[in-house]
Each structure stands twice: as C-alpha cells, then as structure tokens.
Amino acid sequence: LSMSDTRALSISDTRALSMSDTRTLSMSNTRALSMSKLSMSDAMSDADPLFQYVVLRRDLQEKIGWPLGSLVAQGCHASVAAIVTHLEDEEVRAYIAVDALGGMHKAVLEVKGEAQLITLAQRLADAGIAHHLWIEQPEAIPTALACKPARKSILAPHFKKCQLSTWRAPSPVSGAAAQGGQSGAPAADEFGWGH
C-alpha cells in the first residue's frame, strides 16, 4: 500500500489487512479498496449511526437451561426477520449495503424473561418502532426481539431498561431439568444442535 492509500484507511482497517493481503492486491485494487474503506469509515464515524438492537431472554439460559448457541440462534433469527420484513426501507438498505457491512452497529441486550420481552414489544409497537418478536416453533415461545435498523438516537431511548448482555456459562438448572426431565430447551437435531 502506498502512503496515500494507508492514510485513507482507518487504523482498524489497516490492522484487518494481513501482509499477504497487501502483497496480492494490485495497485488498482488497492486504490478501489482505499476508496471503499474511506466511505465505510465515514459511515462508521457518523454521529448518529444506523443501529440495530437485539434483545434475548436471560431466563432461557439460567432457568430453563438453553445452551448459549441456541440463544445466539434466536437473536440471529430475530435480527434477520427484522431486516427481511423491512427490505424496502431506505435505512435498512443502507445498513445492509455491501460497502457498509464492515461498519454495522448492533447491541445485544437482555431482559429477565418472557413477560419483559412481551412488554418491550408492546412498548415498541405503541411508539411506532418497527421490530420483530421471534416466536420459536414448534414450542411457540417468544425468545428474542430485534428492531429494524434505524438511527441510534431514535432507538436508544426505547431500550434503556434493557441490560447489556454479559452472557456466561449457564448456572446449573434445578428441578426436573437437572434430573433429566423436560427442560423446555429446544429440541436437538440430528447433530445434537438446538434451534
């Protein structure tokens, strides 16, 4: 990379490029890359970025015993559903634009349980905040919620009561689940994976 090309890249972008990447890039590719990174950097430094909040239920892990991977899948389902159901929205299109993929902003939050998730969904609906409440099937359990990507200044006030997720190894589950009874965890597929 030439000095002018490296100046156009942000520090995090240059760290992401390995030495082999820089050796194999032709000069024209390097210039195109620097222009793409520059426009992405501008979007990332925006004072009011496009943002998506994803909210998971803490009780699914701590009280019911769902594995972390199943919870991550629920958040992914909700996030994709919120985006796909609003594909015609200008902000969604900007959020998922190819040149913006490296600069997505997302926060994963948590609520205590189902009641809090349902309450949040209702409050968002009342405020006109587009979102998707994921209902896991066939269990018919509300597991996660994701808002449509929008400006952080619009979304943030609606998620203040949610906690930033600090997922950790699940606590041992007591009762029937610990005895090998019905845990309420998603059924495993042929590979032993949950939903």
Side-chain angles (χ1 to χ4, degrees):
L1 293 175
S2 72
M3 288 303 284
S4 62
D5 290 330
T6 55
R7 275 189 226 114
L9 295 172
S10 71
I11 291 171
S12 62
D13 294 330
T14 56
R15 286 186 190 134
L17 288 173
S18 71
M19 290 306 288
S20 63
D21 291 333
T22 58
R23 276 189 232 114
T24 58
L25 290 172
S26 70
M27 202 56 171
S28 62
N29 288 345
T30 305
R31 285 192 186 104
L33 177 64
S34 68
M35 293 306 292
S36 171
K37 295 292 184 179
L38 181 61
S39 65
M40 182 173 48
S41 178
D42 291 343
M44 289 169 44
S45 65
D46 188 3
D48 191 15
L50 290 172
F51 212 86
Q52 185 179 42
Y53 286 95
V54 178
V55 182
L56 302 172
R57 287 175 46 190
R58 167 68 65 187
D59 68 322
L60 291 175
Q61 185 182 52
E62 291 189 345
K63 293 183 180 175
I64 303 176
W66 283 30
L68 181 57
S70 293
L71 292 170
V72 170
Q74 300 308 301
C76 292
H77 293 329
S79 176
V80 170
I83 289 170
V84 169
T85 57
H86 297 94
L87 275 178
E88 298 304 317
D89 183 272
E90 184 177 314
E91 289 178 321
V92 171
R93 287 180 156 184
Y95 186 77
I96 63 171
V98 173
D99 66 337
L101 290 178
M104 286 184 168
H105 297 276
K106 191 179 310 283
V108 179
L109 308 173
E110 64 181 52
V111 292
K112 289 182 182 180
E114 183 175 346
Q116 292 81 8
L117 191 65
I118 300 293
T119 298
L120 176 62
Q122 187 58 54
R123 287 184 180 155
L124 292 173
D126 292 347
I129 302 296
H131 64 283
H132 188 91
L133 177 64
W134 184 259
I135 310 291
E136 182 61 15
Q137 299 298 334
E139 297 89 350
I141 300 172
T143 58
L145 176 148
C147 64
K148 174 189 79 68
R151 295 290 167 191
K152 187 175 183 181
S153 64
I154 301 296
L155 298 175
H158 301 284
F159 292 90
K160 284 185 176 181
K161 292 187 178 183
C162 300
Q163 296 179 356
L164 188 61
S165 290
T166 55
W167 296 97
R168 54 201 168 271
S171 303
V173 179
S174 61
Q179 303 290 323
Q182 177 67 340
S183 67
D189 63 14
E190 64 189 275
F191 301 107
W193 301 341
H195 297 235

PDB file of all heavy atoms in Angstrom, residues 111-149:
ATOM      1  N   VAL A 111     -33.357  -9.158  28.700  1.00  0.00           N
ATOM      2  CA  VAL A 111     -34.421  -8.921  29.672  1.00  0.00           C
ATOM      3  C   VAL A 111     -34.528 -10.182  30.518  1.00  0.00           C
ATOM      4  O   VAL A 111     -34.024 -11.240  30.144  1.00  0.00           O
ATOM      5  CB  VAL A 111     -35.779  -8.596  28.996  1.00  0.00           C
ATOM      6  CG1 VAL A 111     -35.729  -7.248  28.282  1.00  0.00           C
ATOM      7  CG2 VAL A 111     -36.206  -9.700  28.037  1.00  0.00           C
ATOM      8  N   LYS A 112     -35.187 -10.062  31.666  1.00  0.00           N
ATOM      9  CA  LYS A 112     -35.261 -11.195  32.594  1.00  0.00           C
ATOM     10  C   LYS A 112     -36.032 -12.379  32.039  1.00  0.00           C
ATOM     11  O   LYS A 112     -35.646 -13.524  32.246  1.00  0.00           O
ATOM     12  CB  LYS A 112     -35.890 -10.754  33.913  1.00  0.00           C
ATOM     13  CG  LYS A 112     -35.002  -9.868  34.729  1.00  0.00           C
ATOM     14  CD  LYS A 112     -35.665  -9.503  36.048  1.00  0.00           C
ATOM     15  CE  LYS A 112     -34.772  -8.566  36.839  1.00  0.00           C
ATOM     16  NZ  LYS A 112     -35.378  -8.191  38.122  1.00  0.00           N
ATOM     17  N   GLY A 113     -37.149 -12.121  31.371  1.00  0.00           N
ATOM     18  CA  GLY A 113     -37.962 -13.240  30.935  1.00  0.00           C
ATOM     19  C   GLY A 113     -39.004 -12.867  29.902  1.00  0.00           C
ATOM     20  O   GLY A 113     -38.989 -11.769  29.327  1.00  0.00           O
ATOM     21  N   GLU A 114     -39.931 -13.784  29.693  1.00  0.00           N
ATOM     22  CA  GLU A 114     -40.960 -13.623  28.670  1.00  0.00           C
ATOM     23  C   GLU A 114     -41.820 -12.387  28.895  1.00  0.00           C
ATOM     24  O   GLU A 114     -42.109 -11.646  27.957  1.00  0.00           O
ATOM     25  CB  GLU A 114     -41.847 -14.879  28.616  1.00  0.00           C
ATOM     26  CG  GLU A 114     -42.896 -14.825  27.537  1.00  0.00           C
ATOM     27  CD  GLU A 114     -43.694 -16.104  27.408  1.00  0.00           C
ATOM     28  OE1 GLU A 114     -43.290 -17.150  27.962  1.00  0.00           O
ATOM     29  OE2 GLU A 114     -44.737 -16.060  26.739  1.00  0.00           O
ATOM     30  N   ALA A 115     -42.255 -12.153  30.120  1.00  0.00           N
ATOM     31  CA  ALA A 115     -43.128 -11.006  30.398  1.00  0.00           C
ATOM     32  C   ALA A 115     -42.453  -9.696  29.995  1.00  0.00           C
ATOM     33  O   ALA A 115     -43.089  -8.820  29.388  1.00  0.00           O
ATOM     34  CB  ALA A 115     -43.514 -10.981  31.876  1.00  0.00           C
ATOM     35  N   GLN A 116     -41.173  -9.557  30.310  1.00  0.00           N
ATOM     36  CA  GLN A 116     -40.455  -8.337  29.971  1.00  0.00           C
ATOM     37  C   GLN A 116     -40.271  -8.195  28.455  1.00  0.00           C
ATOM     38  O   GLN A 116     -40.342  -7.088  27.922  1.00  0.00           O
ATOM     39  CB  GLN A 116     -39.089  -8.301  30.678  1.00  0.00           C
ATOM     40  CG  GLN A 116     -39.173  -8.151  32.173  1.00  0.00           C
ATOM     41  CD  GLN A 116     -39.453  -9.471  32.904  1.00  0.00           C
ATOM     42  OE1 GLN A 116     -39.447 -10.558  32.321  1.00  0.00           O
ATOM     43  NE2 GLN A 116     -39.711  -9.369  34.204  1.00  0.00           N
ATOM     44  N   LEU A 117     -40.057  -9.307  27.770  1.00  0.00           N
ATOM     45  CA  LEU A 117     -39.901  -9.270  26.321  1.00  0.00           C
ATOM     46  C   LEU A 117     -41.207  -8.850  25.648  1.00  0.00           C
ATOM     47  O   LEU A 117     -41.214  -8.014  24.744  1.00  0.00           O
ATOM     48  CB  LEU A 117     -39.431 -10.633  25.790  1.00  0.00           C
ATOM     49  CG  LEU A 117     -38.972 -10.663  24.340  1.00  0.00           C
ATOM     50  CD1 LEU A 117     -37.722  -9.811  24.137  1.00  0.00           C
ATOM     51  CD2 LEU A 117     -38.701 -12.093  23.901  1.00  0.00           C
ATOM     52  N   ILE A 118     -42.320  -9.403  26.113  1.00  0.00           N
ATOM     53  CA  ILE A 118     -43.641  -9.057  25.571  1.00  0.00           C
ATOM     54  C   ILE A 118     -43.945  -7.580  25.847  1.00  0.00           C
ATOM     55  O   ILE A 118     -44.461  -6.870  24.978  1.00  0.00           O
ATOM     56  CB  ILE A 118     -44.737  -9.965  26.171  1.00  0.00           C
ATOM     57  CG1 ILE A 118     -44.466 -11.438  25.841  1.00  0.00           C
ATOM     58  CG2 ILE A 118     -46.123  -9.532  25.721  1.00  0.00           C
ATOM     59  CD1 ILE A 118     -44.576 -11.794  24.389  1.00  0.00           C
ATOM     60  N   THR A 119     -43.629  -7.126  27.054  1.00  0.00           N
ATOM     61  CA  THR A 119     -43.864  -5.718  27.408  1.00  0.00           C
ATOM     62  C   THR A 119     -43.048  -4.802  26.507  1.00  0.00           C
ATOM     63  O   THR A 119     -43.553  -3.781  26.019  1.00  0.00           O
ATOM     64  CB  THR A 119     -43.513  -5.467  28.891  1.00  0.00           C
ATOM     65  OG1 THR A 119     -44.374  -6.266  29.701  1.00  0.00           O
ATOM     66  CG2 THR A 119     -43.660  -4.007  29.267  1.00  0.00           C
ATOM     67  N   LEU A 120     -41.779  -5.150  26.274  1.00  0.00           N
ATOM     68  CA  LEU A 120     -40.933  -4.353  25.383  1.00  0.00           C
ATOM     69  C   LEU A 120     -41.527  -4.312  23.983  1.00  0.00           C
ATOM     70  O   LEU A 120     -41.593  -3.238  23.362  1.00  0.00           O
ATOM     71  CB  LEU A 120     -39.512  -4.918  25.357  1.00  0.00           C
ATOM     72  CG  LEU A 120     -38.550  -4.236  24.381  1.00  0.00           C
ATOM     73  CD1 LEU A 120     -38.357  -2.760  24.726  1.00  0.00           C
ATOM     74  CD2 LEU A 120     -37.208  -4.970  24.371  1.00  0.00           C
ATOM     75  N   ALA A 121     -41.963  -5.447  23.473  1.00  0.00           N
ATOM     76  CA  ALA A 121     -42.561  -5.496  22.130  1.00  0.00           C
ATOM     77  C   ALA A 121     -43.779  -4.582  22.051  1.00  0.00           C
ATOM     78  O   ALA A 121     -43.956  -3.853  21.057  1.00  0.00           O
ATOM     79  CB  ALA A 121     -42.936  -6.936  21.773  1.00  0.00           C
ATOM     80  N   GLN A 122     -44.594  -4.582  23.078  1.00  0.00           N
ATOM     81  CA  GLN A 122     -45.791  -3.734  23.086  1.00  0.00           C
ATOM     82  C   GLN A 122     -45.416  -2.256  23.145  1.00  0.00           C
ATOM     83  O   GLN A 122     -46.001  -1.427  22.447  1.00  0.00           O
ATOM     84  CB  GLN A 122     -46.714  -4.096  24.257  1.00  0.00           C
ATOM     85  CG  GLN A 122     -48.045  -3.373  24.213  1.00  0.00           C
ATOM     86  CD  GLN A 122     -48.813  -3.638  22.926  1.00  0.00           C
ATOM     87  OE1 GLN A 122     -49.050  -4.775  22.556  1.00  0.00           O
ATOM     88  NE2 GLN A 122     -49.189  -2.571  22.222  1.00  0.00           N
ATOM     89  N   ARG A 123     -44.429  -1.925  23.969  1.00  0.00           N
ATOM     90  CA  ARG A 123     -43.986  -0.522  24.068  1.00  0.00           C
ATOM     91  C   ARG A 123     -43.406  -0.031  22.742  1.00  0.00           C
ATOM     92  O   ARG A 123     -43.631   1.116  22.341  1.00  0.00           O
ATOM     93  CB  ARG A 123     -42.965  -0.355  25.184  1.00  0.00           C
ATOM     94  CG  ARG A 123     -43.593  -0.433  26.558  1.00  0.00           C
ATOM     95  CD  ARG A 123     -42.579  -0.170  27.642  1.00  0.00           C
ATOM     96  NE  ARG A 123     -43.232  -0.266  28.938  1.00  0.00           N
ATOM     97  CZ  ARG A 123     -42.617  -0.553  30.056  1.00  0.00           C
ATOM     98  NH1 ARG A 123     -41.305  -0.775  30.059  1.00  0.00           N
ATOM     99  NH2 ARG A 123     -43.269  -0.617  31.185  1.00  0.00           N
ATOM    100  N   LEU A 124     -42.650  -0.888  22.084  1.00  0.00           N
ATOM    101  CA  LEU A 124     -42.099  -0.508  20.779  1.00  0.00           C
ATOM    102  C   LEU A 124     -43.223  -0.297  19.765  1.00  0.00           C
ATOM    103  O   LEU A 124     -43.199   0.674  18.994  1.00  0.00           O
ATOM    104  CB  LEU A 124     -41.122  -1.568  20.279  1.00  0.00           C
ATOM    105  CG  LEU A 124     -39.814  -1.699  21.060  1.00  0.00           C
ATOM    106  CD1 LEU A 124     -39.020  -2.907  20.568  1.00  0.00           C
ATOM    107  CD2 LEU A 124     -38.987  -0.430  20.978  1.00  0.00           C
ATOM    108  N   ALA A 125     -44.191  -1.190  19.754  1.00  0.00           N
ATOM    109  CA  ALA A 125     -45.327  -1.058  18.837  1.00  0.00           C
ATOM    110  C   ALA A 125     -46.089   0.244  19.116  1.00  0.00           C
ATOM    111  O   ALA A 125     -46.431   0.980  18.180  1.00  0.00           O
ATOM    112  CB  ALA A 125     -46.259  -2.262  18.970  1.00  0.00           C
ATOM    113  N   ASP A 126     -46.314   0.536  20.385  1.00  0.00           N
ATOM    114  CA  ASP A 126     -47.026   1.764  20.760  1.00  0.00           C
ATOM    115  C   ASP A 126     -46.270   3.012  20.314  1.00  0.00           C
ATOM    116  O   ASP A 126     -46.873   4.029  19.985  1.00  0.00           O
ATOM    117  CB  ASP A 126     -47.254   1.819  22.273  1.00  0.00           C
ATOM    118  CG  ASP A 126     -48.239   0.759  22.763  1.00  0.00           C
ATOM    119  OD1 ASP A 126     -48.944   0.139  21.930  1.00  0.00           O
ATOM    120  OD2 ASP A 126     -48.291   0.538  23.996  1.00  0.00           O
ATOM    121  N   ALA A 127     -44.937   2.938  20.327  1.00  0.00           N
ATOM    122  CA  ALA A 127     -44.098   4.077  19.941  1.00  0.00           C
ATOM    123  C   ALA A 127     -43.831   4.130  18.437  1.00  0.00           C
ATOM    124  O   ALA A 127     -43.153   5.046  17.961  1.00  0.00           O
ATOM    125  CB  ALA A 127     -42.774   4.026  20.699  1.00  0.00           C
ATOM    126  N   GLY A 128     -44.313   3.138  17.703  1.00  0.00           N
ATOM    127  CA  GLY A 128     -44.102   3.118  16.260  1.00  0.00           C
ATOM    128  C   GLY A 128     -42.711   2.675  15.847  1.00  0.00           C
ATOM    129  O   GLY A 128     -42.259   2.978  14.748  1.00  0.00           O
ATOM    130  N   ILE A 129     -42.026   1.945  16.729  1.00  0.00           N
ATOM    131  CA  ILE A 129     -40.688   1.435  16.416  1.00  0.00           C
ATOM    132  C   ILE A 129     -40.838   0.050  15.786  1.00  0.00           C
ATOM    133  O   ILE A 129     -41.304  -0.892  16.435  1.00  0.00           O
ATOM    134  CB  ILE A 129     -39.798   1.351  17.684  1.00  0.00           C
ATOM    135  CG1 ILE A 129     -39.670   2.719  18.348  1.00  0.00           C
ATOM    136  CG2 ILE A 129     -38.440   0.741  17.361  1.00  0.00           C
ATOM    137  CD1 ILE A 129     -38.973   3.769  17.509  1.00  0.00           C
ATOM    138  N   ALA A 130     -40.445  -0.070  14.527  1.00  0.00           N
ATOM    139  CA  ALA A 130     -40.571  -1.342  13.808  1.00  0.00           C
ATOM    140  C   ALA A 130     -39.620  -2.372  14.407  1.00  0.00           C
ATOM    141  O   ALA A 130     -38.450  -2.083  14.682  1.00  0.00           O
ATOM    142  CB  ALA A 130     -40.277  -1.142  12.324  1.00  0.00           C
ATOM    143  N   HIS A 131     -40.137  -3.565  14.613  1.00  0.00           N
ATOM    144  CA  HIS A 131     -39.343  -4.628  15.229  1.00  0.00           C
ATOM    145  C   HIS A 131     -39.955  -5.977  14.855  1.00  0.00           C
ATOM    146  O   HIS A 131     -41.035  -6.046  14.265  1.00  0.00           O
ATOM    147  CB  HIS A 131     -39.329  -4.475  16.755  1.00  0.00           C
ATOM    148  CG  HIS A 131     -40.682  -4.628  17.375  1.00  0.00           C
ATOM    149  ND1 HIS A 131     -41.631  -3.618  17.340  1.00  0.00           N
ATOM    150  CD2 HIS A 131     -41.264  -5.671  18.001  1.00  0.00           C
ATOM    151  CE1 HIS A 131     -42.729  -4.035  17.935  1.00  0.00           C
ATOM    152  NE2 HIS A 131     -42.542  -5.289  18.340  1.00  0.00           N
ATOM    153  N   HIS A 132     -39.244  -7.037  15.228  1.00  0.00           N
ATOM    154  CA  HIS A 132     -39.771  -8.390  15.034  1.00  0.00           C
ATOM    155  C   HIS A 132     -39.583  -9.167  16.334  1.00  0.00           C
ATOM    156  O   HIS A 132     -38.471  -9.270  16.847  1.00  0.00           O
ATOM    157  CB  HIS A 132     -39.050  -9.114  13.890  1.00  0.00           C
ATOM    158  CG  HIS A 132     -39.695 -10.414  13.562  1.00  0.00           C
ATOM    159  ND1 HIS A 132     -40.680 -10.521  12.609  1.00  0.00           N
ATOM    160  CD2 HIS A 132     -39.534 -11.652  14.079  1.00  0.00           C
ATOM    161  CE1 HIS A 132     -41.083 -11.790  12.558  1.00  0.00           C
ATOM    162  NE2 HIS A 132     -40.401 -12.483  13.438  1.00  0.00           N
ATOM    163  N   LEU A 133     -40.670  -9.680  16.855  1.00  0.00           N
ATOM    164  CA  LEU A 133     -40.638 -10.549  18.026  1.00  0.00           C
ATOM    165  C   LEU A 133     -40.553 -11.975  17.506  1.00  0.00           C
ATOM    166  O   LEU A 133     -41.477 -12.458  16.848  1.00  0.00           O
ATOM    167  CB  LEU A 133     -41.889 -10.356  18.887  1.00  0.00           C
ATOM    168  CG  LEU A 133     -42.020 -11.260  20.111  1.00  0.00           C
ATOM    169  CD1 LEU A 133     -40.901 -10.997  21.110  1.00  0.00           C
ATOM    170  CD2 LEU A 133     -43.380 -11.046  20.778  1.00  0.00           C
ATOM    171  N   TRP A 134     -39.435 -12.657  17.776  1.00  0.00           N
ATOM    172  CA  TRP A 134     -39.255 -14.017  17.279  1.00  0.00           C
ATOM    173  C   TRP A 134     -39.977 -14.993  18.203  1.00  0.00           C
ATOM    174  O   TRP A 134     -39.752 -15.002  19.412  1.00  0.00           O
ATOM    175  CB  TRP A 134     -37.773 -14.378  17.190  1.00  0.00           C
ATOM    176  CG  TRP A 134     -37.588 -15.731  16.579  1.00  0.00           C
ATOM    177  CD1 TRP A 134     -37.335 -16.901  17.228  1.00  0.00           C
ATOM    178  CD2 TRP A 134     -37.701 -16.056  15.197  1.00  0.00           C
ATOM    179  NE1 TRP A 134     -37.269 -17.934  16.319  1.00  0.00           N
ATOM    180  CE2 TRP A 134     -37.497 -17.440  15.066  1.00  0.00           C
ATOM    181  CE3 TRP A 134     -37.952 -15.304  14.049  1.00  0.00           C
ATOM    182  CZ2 TRP A 134     -37.524 -18.087  13.837  1.00  0.00           C
ATOM    183  CZ3 TRP A 134     -37.982 -15.958  12.829  1.00  0.00           C
ATOM    184  CH2 TRP A 134     -37.774 -17.322  12.732  1.00  0.00           C
ATOM    185  N   ILE A 135     -40.830 -15.811  17.609  1.00  0.00           N
ATOM    186  CA  ILE A 135     -41.555 -16.859  18.330  1.00  0.00           C
ATOM    187  C   ILE A 135     -40.992 -18.188  17.843  1.00  0.00           C
ATOM    188  O   ILE A 135     -41.193 -18.576  16.691  1.00  0.00           O
ATOM    189  CB  ILE A 135     -43.084 -16.804  18.066  1.00  0.00           C
ATOM    190  CG1 ILE A 135     -43.638 -15.388  18.276  1.00  0.00           C
ATOM    191  CG2 ILE A 135     -43.810 -17.857  18.893  1.00  0.00           C
ATOM    192  CD1 ILE A 135     -43.653 -14.910  19.700  1.00  0.00           C
ATOM    193  N   GLU A 136     -40.259 -18.875  18.703  1.00  0.00           N
ATOM    194  CA  GLU A 136     -39.635 -20.146  18.323  1.00  0.00           C
ATOM    195  C   GLU A 136     -40.704 -21.219  18.160  1.00  0.00           C
ATOM    196  O   GLU A 136     -41.581 -21.373  19.019  1.00  0.00           O
ATOM    197  CB  GLU A 136     -38.609 -20.567  19.377  1.00  0.00           C
ATOM    198  CG  GLU A 136     -37.871 -21.841  19.044  1.00  0.00           C
ATOM    199  CD  GLU A 136     -37.055 -21.775  17.753  1.00  0.00           C
ATOM    200  OE1 GLU A 136     -36.803 -20.689  17.205  1.00  0.00           O
ATOM    201  OE2 GLU A 136     -36.675 -22.863  17.288  1.00  0.00           O
ATOM    202  N   GLN A 137     -40.622 -21.946  17.046  1.00  0.00           N
ATOM    203  CA  GLN A 137     -41.566 -23.017  16.734  1.00  0.00           C
ATOM    204  C   GLN A 137     -40.832 -24.355  16.741  1.00  0.00           C
ATOM    205  O   GLN A 137     -39.653 -24.394  16.434  1.00  0.00           O
ATOM    206  CB  GLN A 137     -42.207 -22.767  15.360  1.00  0.00           C
ATOM    207  CG  GLN A 137     -42.999 -21.486  15.268  1.00  0.00           C
ATOM    208  CD  GLN A 137     -44.179 -21.430  16.212  1.00  0.00           C
ATOM    209  OE1 GLN A 137     -44.736 -22.444  16.619  1.00  0.00           O
ATOM    210  NE2 GLN A 137     -44.560 -20.217  16.597  1.00  0.00           N
ATOM    211  N   PRO A 138     -41.423 -25.428  17.101  1.00  0.00           N
ATOM    212  CA  PRO A 138     -42.857 -25.583  17.355  1.00  0.00           C
ATOM    213  C   PRO A 138     -43.256 -25.271  18.796  1.00  0.00           C
ATOM    214  O   PRO A 138     -44.411 -25.420  19.160  1.00  0.00           O
ATOM    215  CB  PRO A 138     -43.097 -27.061  17.039  1.00  0.00           C
ATOM    216  CG  PRO A 138     -41.818 -27.715  17.473  1.00  0.00           C
ATOM    217  CD  PRO A 138     -40.727 -26.718  17.132  1.00  0.00           C
ATOM    218  N   GLU A 139     -42.311 -24.792  19.603  1.00  0.00           N
ATOM    219  CA  GLU A 139     -42.589 -24.560  21.012  1.00  0.00           C
ATOM    220  C   GLU A 139     -43.532 -23.382  21.260  1.00  0.00           C
ATOM    221  O   GLU A 139     -44.134 -23.281  22.318  1.00  0.00           O
ATOM    222  CB  GLU A 139     -41.279 -24.325  21.793  1.00  0.00           C
ATOM    223  CG  GLU A 139     -40.334 -25.508  21.800  1.00  0.00           C
ATOM    224  CD  GLU A 139     -39.364 -25.508  20.615  1.00  0.00           C
ATOM    225  OE1 GLU A 139     -39.530 -24.703  19.670  1.00  0.00           O
ATOM    226  OE2 GLU A 139     -38.432 -26.325  20.635  1.00  0.00           O
ATOM    227  N   ALA A 140     -43.636 -22.472  20.284  1.00  0.00           N
ATOM    228  CA  ALA A 140     -44.449 -21.252  20.395  1.00  0.00           C
ATOM    229  C   ALA A 140     -43.999 -20.404  21.584  1.00  0.00           C
ATOM    230  O   ALA A 140     -44.805 -19.898  22.352  1.00  0.00           O
ATOM    231  CB  ALA A 140     -45.940 -21.578  20.460  1.00  0.00           C
ATOM    232  N   ILE A 141     -42.674 -20.229  21.711  1.00  0.00           N
ATOM    233  CA  ILE A 141     -42.088 -19.470  22.813  1.00  0.00           C
ATOM    234  C   ILE A 141     -41.481 -18.181  22.263  1.00  0.00           C
ATOM    235  O   ILE A 141     -40.623 -18.236  21.383  1.00  0.00           O
ATOM    236  CB  ILE A 141     -40.967 -20.287  23.506  1.00  0.00           C
ATOM    237  CG1 ILE A 141     -41.507 -21.588  24.080  1.00  0.00           C
ATOM    238  CG2 ILE A 141     -40.284 -19.465  24.587  1.00  0.00           C
ATOM    239  CD1 ILE A 141     -40.400 -22.515  24.590  1.00  0.00           C
ATOM    240  N   PRO A 142     -41.904 -17.016  22.774  1.00  0.00           N
ATOM    241  CA  PRO A 142     -41.222 -15.777  22.386  1.00  0.00           C
ATOM    242  C   PRO A 142     -39.809 -15.787  22.978  1.00  0.00           C
ATOM    243  O   PRO A 142     -39.654 -15.914  24.192  1.00  0.00           O
ATOM    244  CB  PRO A 142     -42.055 -14.662  23.013  1.00  0.00           C
ATOM    245  CG  PRO A 142     -43.241 -15.308  23.629  1.00  0.00           C
ATOM    246  CD  PRO A 142     -43.002 -16.770  23.689  1.00  0.00           C
ATOM    247  N   THR A 143     -38.806 -15.723  22.137  1.00  0.00           N
ATOM    248  CA  THR A 143     -37.430 -15.888  22.608  1.00  0.00           C
ATOM    249  C   THR A 143     -36.554 -14.663  22.432  1.00  0.00           C
ATOM    250  O   THR A 143     -35.606 -14.471  23.194  1.00  0.00           O
ATOM    251  CB  THR A 143     -36.751 -17.060  21.874  1.00  0.00           C
ATOM    252  OG1 THR A 143     -36.791 -16.790  20.461  1.00  0.00           O
ATOM    253  CG2 THR A 143     -37.429 -18.373  22.189  1.00  0.00           C
ATOM    254  N   ALA A 144     -36.817 -13.863  21.412  1.00  0.00           N
ATOM    255  CA  ALA A 144     -35.934 -12.739  21.098  1.00  0.00           C
ATOM    256  C   ALA A 144     -36.710 -11.676  20.344  1.00  0.00           C
ATOM    257  O   ALA A 144     -37.778 -11.937  19.787  1.00  0.00           O
ATOM    258  CB  ALA A 144     -34.754 -13.218  20.262  1.00  0.00           C
ATOM    259  N   LEU A 145     -36.131 -10.498  20.329  1.00  0.00           N
ATOM    260  CA  LEU A 145     -36.728  -9.375  19.616  1.00  0.00           C
ATOM    261  C   LEU A 145     -35.594  -8.601  18.965  1.00  0.00           C
ATOM    262  O   LEU A 145     -34.511  -8.463  19.558  1.00  0.00           O
ATOM    263  CB  LEU A 145     -37.465  -8.484  20.619  1.00  0.00           C
ATOM    264  CG  LEU A 145     -38.099  -7.198  20.119  1.00  0.00           C
ATOM    265  CD1 LEU A 145     -39.336  -6.886  20.933  1.00  0.00           C
ATOM    266  CD2 LEU A 145     -37.144  -6.022  20.157  1.00  0.00           C
ATOM    267  N   ALA A 146     -35.824  -8.119  17.767  1.00  0.00           N
ATOM    268  CA  ALA A 146     -34.854  -7.239  17.113  1.00  0.00           C
ATOM    269  C   ALA A 146     -35.617  -6.103  16.454  1.00  0.00           C
ATOM    270  O   ALA A 146     -36.700  -6.315  15.895  1.00  0.00           O
ATOM    271  CB  ALA A 146     -34.035  -7.997  16.068  1.00  0.00           C
ATOM    272  N   CYS A 147     -35.062  -4.911  16.546  1.00  0.00           N
ATOM    273  CA  CYS A 147     -35.693  -3.774  15.885  1.00  0.00           C
ATOM    274  C   CYS A 147     -35.172  -3.663  14.459  1.00  0.00           C
ATOM    275  O   CYS A 147     -34.126  -4.204  14.121  1.00  0.00           O
ATOM    276  CB  CYS A 147     -35.402  -2.488  16.655  1.00  0.00           C
ATOM    277  SG  CYS A 147     -33.656  -2.031  16.690  1.00  0.00           S
ATOM    278  N   LYS A 148     -35.914  -2.981  13.647  1.00  0.00           N
ATOM    279  CA  LYS A 148     -35.462  -2.632  12.308  1.00  0.00           C
ATOM    280  C   LYS A 148     -34.299  -1.666  12.475  1.00  0.00           C
ATOM    281  O   LYS A 148     -34.344  -0.770  13.315  1.00  0.00           O
ATOM    282  CB  LYS A 148     -36.597  -1.953  11.541  1.00  0.00           C
ATOM    283  CG  LYS A 148     -36.213  -1.408  10.189  1.00  0.00           C
ATOM    284  CD  LYS A 148     -37.314  -0.560   9.585  1.00  0.00           C
ATOM    285  CE  LYS A 148     -37.389   0.828  10.132  1.00  0.00           C
ATOM    286  NZ  LYS A 148     -36.277   1.717   9.798  1.00  0.00           N
ATOM    287  N   PRO A 149     -33.211  -1.832  11.721  1.00  0.00           N
ATOM    288  CA  PRO A 149     -32.129  -0.861  11.825  1.00  0.00           C
ATOM    289  C   PRO A 149     -32.631   0.561  11.570  1.00  0.00           C
ATOM    290  O   PRO A 149     -33.405   0.803  10.637  1.00  0.00           O
ATOM    291  CB  PRO A 149     -31.151  -1.296  10.735  1.00  0.00           C
ATOM    292  CG  PRO A 149     -31.418  -2.768  10.577  1.00  0.00           C
ATOM    293  CD  PRO A 149     -32.901  -2.908  10.774  1.00  0.00           C
TER     294      PRO A 149
END
